Amino acid sequence: MNLFWTVTRRVLGVPDDEYIIAGIALGYADTDHPVNGVVAAREPLEAFVTFHD
């Protein structure tokens, strides 16, 4: 839970009709596990991500 969402939204200029979402995967995939054999179609990052410096 982001307890600073109002500041984060203001500083990054995120409009009220958009959400701030982040996901991080850590570790290594178990290449022998069936779930890691699933390949899903993906949108290009430019379609839904904005990077801020």
Side-chain angles (χ1 to χ4, degrees), residues 9 14-19:
R9 182 177 293 281
V14 177
D16 290 337
D17 64 338
E18 294 182 9
Y19 296 93

Side-chain angles (χ1 to χ4, degrees), residues 9 13-14 21 26 28 31 36 41 46 51 53:
R9 182 177 293 281
V14 177
I21 300 174
L26 302 174
Y28 298 93
T31 56
N36 292 315
E46 298 79 19
F51 292 99
D53 289 330

Side-chain angles (χ1 to χ4, degrees), residues 35-53:
V35 74
N36 292 315
V38 175
V39 178
R42 298 178 183 231
E43 286 285 326
L45 287 178
E46 298 79 19
F48 62 92
V49 174
T50 303
F51 292 99
H52 297 269
D53 289 330

